[in-house]
Amino acid sequence: MSKLTNTLTTKRFVIRKSLIGKNTIITFTNKKQENVSYNHDEVYNTHKERFEAMNCFAKYKSYTNSNAIPAFCRELAL
């Protein structure tokens, strides 16, 4: 597995099937104008069963939250 880290800046918290295994650090700005960063693979792997059970993840292959990092993922923020 590659140790290369990719970075991505978005407008919201996102977990996408297309980013799984890409070792991506995602940074977004929340509603309080705070920058929040997280390791996409670490969040996905820690909560894999939860994401896979979501209808949006099955239908759209992604989960997003435009307001903040979800409460169940906050301990994984960088």
Side-chain angles (χ1 to χ4, degrees), residues 17-57:
K17 283 190 177 183
S18 63
L19 292 175
I20 296 170
K22 303 263 170 98
N23 199 25
T24 303
I25 301 296
I26 298 178
T27 302
F28 74 98
T29 304
N30 66 15
K31 295 274 185 181
K32 296 178 183 176
Q33 299 304 310
E34 302 166 331
N35 284 331
V36 179
S37 296
Y38 59 96
N39 182 307
H40 179 276
D41 290 342
E42 183 179 0
V43 171
Y44 174 76
N45 290 329
T46 302
H47 299 288
K48 182 177 181 175
E49 294 80 20
R50 187 176 203 148
F51 290 118
E52 295 292 338
M54 293 178 178
N55 290 333
C56 63
F57 205 72

Side-chain angles (χ1 to χ4, degrees), residues 8 10 14-20 40 57 61-63:
L8 179 67
T10 66
V14 64
I15 296 294
R16 290 188 194 127
K17 283 190 177 183
S18 63
L19 292 175
I20 296 170
H40 179 276
F57 205 72
K61 298 178 176 41
S62 69
Y63 167 80

